[in-house]
Amino acid sequence: MTKMYLRQIIVLGVIVLITAGSVMAAPLKVYILAGQSNMEGHAHVDTIPEIGKDPEARPLLDMMLESGGKHRVCERVWISYLTAKKGERVLKEGKLTTGYGSLTKGPKIGPEFTFGLTLEERMSSPVLLIKTAWGGTSLFKDWRPPSAGPIELSDQQVEAGKEKGADLDQMRAKARDGSGALYEAMIEHVRDVLSNIKRICPEYDPEQGYEIAGFVWFQGWNDKVNSGAYPNRDNPGGYDLYTELLAHFVRDIRKDLGVSGMPFVIGVMGQNGPIDINNPRDKNEHKNYYFRKAQAATADLPEFKGNVKVVLTEKYWDSKLGDIGLKLAEVKEHKRVLSRDKSLSKEAVDAAAEEYRKKLISDEEMEIYEKGASNAAFHYYGSAKMFAQFGAAFAEALLDGGSK
């Protein structure tokens, strides 16, 4: 072995050691993600290639893929994800890549993938994501923060109970059963992860330590449709209680995790895109409009100025996909009406519905939908393009101060 060859081996070895040690050359940045099904994420990975067809979103696709088109595996971002599948809690951990979305009919992504990728690209510090998400849950009950106090029945619920001769004490007990359970589970999970970071991130250096650097909340659907909790939701101020609950939520999380002033991002619901309630097209969107206002209003409270930001997910709504989805819903309704006619066979109903579909939706539009959508409208059609933009926007809001 020549001296020159020996020197090359030594130099390469030193480079490897430096590279290996540099992963944890700074404190670990910890970000917490929480919410319901849209935080879980219902974008099937098969919809990822469609991102490349949008020039504005194309850079995200380049970020999400390695050479050869494989899904990126982060080198400096790890994730601990607590969720539920078929009613059972499931814990999934490792280096961030695809597959950390909803665990049903996957693999899927949620906002976490591009959130972590954006942080990795913008920061030199290693990153740990702690994600807790459960579909079909509300801030009013499941995520209810401790300082909000126990659930109280509305006047309408009390009157309805009296009319039915119901036991009001039983009604109150039932309403409160399980209240705040997911808030407690989230705090417990965060504390558990932080007590044993090496379980997820073997390279973690306790001497460098960690910093809880931000929180993202992406939830709202189940509160928006809860007429019992928000009996006046068709009117301005009908969701004021949500604003109050979310304010309690922010305060309690900061207190329970010991991070006063922790940067906080609210992902405001944005299904169907921007709303103008003065536009006849949006005349039936009052609930959506008032609920979005209530979510964003929390950031306007004086105590949260500058440290609670909002991201309007409506800005990233894919209107083309949405328009096709509405047409498909019309086809589905047409088929449902046809099926009432008992003189028609199933084959005849299917054929008539397909003929109606072809009048409304071109084959080109169907291809766009089949490749770009993988779920329902309330899950942003399971579009990777939309979820990828959400994740990147959440990260940018924490890094750059966000937008209203």
Side-chain angles (χ1 to χ4, degrees):
M1 182 181 295
T2 65
K3 289 183 178 180
M4 181 176 292
Y5 185 60
L6 181 60
R7 282 199 299 271
Q8 289 175 338
I9 292 176
I10 293 172
V11 169
L12 285 172
V14 171
I15 291 173
V16 169
L17 287 172
I18 291 173
T19 303
S22 66
V23 174
M24 284 296 172
L28 180 70
K29 297 285 188 179
V30 177
Y31 293 88
I32 303 166
L33 312 177
Q36 60 178 108
S37 57
N38 284 308
M39 178 55 88
E40 286 181 322
H42 281 272
H44 197 283
V45 295
D46 287 349
T47 66
I48 288 177
E50 292 301 289
I51 299 173
K53 295 180 180 178
D54 183 337
E56 290 188 11
R58 173 75 204 199
L60 290 174
L61 180 63
D62 295 338
M63 184 189 295
M64 296 163 76
L65 301 179
E66 296 178 347
S67 58
K70 291 184 178 180
H71 298 158
R72 175 97 170 272
V73 178
C74 294
E75 289 302 317
R76 291 188 293 108
V77 183
W78 293 263
I79 182 169
S80 176
Y81 174 31
L82 180 64
T83 186
K85 184 177 182 181
K86 296 182 179 179
E88 298 294 326
R89 289 189 182 179
V90 179
L91 180 62
K92 185 175 182 181
E93 299 175 327
K95 286 187 174 180
L96 180 64
T97 184
T98 54
Y100 284 95
S102 170
L103 302 183
T104 60
K105 300 179 180 179
K108 296 179 179 179
I109 64 168
E112 77 294 323
F113 190 36
T114 50
F115 180 84
L117 289 170
T118 301
L119 294 175
E120 185 174 57
E121 186 174 87
R122 292 278 306 275
M123 298 167 54
S124 59
S125 303
V127 173
L128 172 62
L129 308 183
I130 305 177
K131 175 177 167 179
T132 54
W134 288 269
T137 55
S138 73
L139 178 62
F140 178 78
K141 183 173 184 178
D142 309 283
W143 296 91
R144 193 177 186 89
S147 64
I151 291 174
E152 299 294 344
L153 298 178
S154 67
D155 293 339
Q156 291 90 331
Q157 289 173 312
V158 170
E159 289 305 315
K162 287 180 178 178
E163 289 179 10
K164 294 178 181 178
D167 185 320
L168 293 180
D169 288 336
Q170 286 186 358
M171 285 180 61
R172 292 187 178 94
K174 183 177 179 180
R176 295 171 181 175
D177 184 38
S179 176
L182 295 187
Y183 178 92
E184 293 174 5
M186 171 188 64
I187 295 297
E188 181 183 347
H189 179 56
V190 172
R191 288 172 173 166
D192 176 65
V193 170
L194 295 180
S195 71
N196 188 12
I197 294 175
K198 277 185 172 290
R199 183 186 77 215
I200 302 102
C201 177
E203 294 91 343
Y204 174 64
D205 181 359
E207 291 188 5
Q208 292 291 342
Y210 67 84
E211 172 195 354
I212 299 179
F215 191 107
V216 179
W217 175 245
F218 194 27
Q219 182 277 342
W221 186 270
N222 279 64
D223 283 271
K224 186 185 73 173
V225 300
N226 189 339
S227 59
Y230 309 96
N232 300 310
R233 58 204 180 112
D234 279 314
N235 303 304
Y239 288 107
D240 284 352
L241 175 59
Y242 187 94
T243 305
E244 296 173 18
L245 290 172
L246 190 51
H248 282 293
F249 188 79
V250 176
R251 296 184 198 109
D252 287 356
I253 287 171
R254 288 173 169 173
K255 177 183 176 182
D256 288 341
L257 297 181
V259 190
S260 61
M262 176 182 64
F264 194 104
V265 167
I266 303 165
V268 177
M269 292 284 99
Q271 292 90 341
N272 300 326
I275 297 170
D276 178 2
I277 58 173
N278 296 314
N279 186 327
R281 181 185 73 85
D282 296 333
K283 63 181 180 180
N284 296 319
E285 292 289 331
H286 285 76
K287 293 185 186 71
N288 283 335
Y289 180 81
Y290 295 138
F291 184 74
R292 294 179 191 183
K293 292 293 185 182
Q295 285 192 300
T298 305
D300 290 329
L301 296 175
E303 66 186 291
F304 296 145
K305 285 287 187 180
N307 56 52
V308 175
K309 304 294 181 180
V310 300
V311 169
L312 304 178
T313 63
E314 65 186 43
K315 297 195 300 183
Y316 307 104
W317 178 256
D318 189 327
S319 58
K320 182 179 290 186
L321 208 59
D323 289 343
I324 300 170
L326 289 174
K327 292 178 184 177
L328 283 169
E330 187 175 337
V331 172
K332 184 177 180 180
E333 175 61 19
H334 182 70
K335 183 176 181 179
R336 189 180 69 82
V337 172
L338 286 172
S339 65
R340 293 175 181 171
D341 187 343
K342 301 305 179 183
S343 68
L344 295 175
S345 66
K346 182 180 182 301
E347 290 74 19
V349 170
D350 289 343
E354 177 61 11
E355 183 179 352
Y356 187 72
R357 192 278 298 170
K358 288 182 178 179
K359 290 180 181 179
L360 281 182
I361 310 167
S362 69
D363 290 341
E364 180 184 6
E365 288 177 315
M366 280 305 301
E367 183 179 3
I368 290 171
Y369 189 85
E370 289 168 355
K371 290 184 177 180
S374 65
N375 210 280
F378 50 79
H379 286 149
Y380 297 90
Y381 287 107
S383 162
K385 186 175 85 169
M386 284 194 258
F387 277 94
Q389 292 180 98
F390 300 160
F394 294 158
E396 295 290 353
L398 286 171
L399 293 171
D400 300 332
S403 59
K404 293 297 294 293

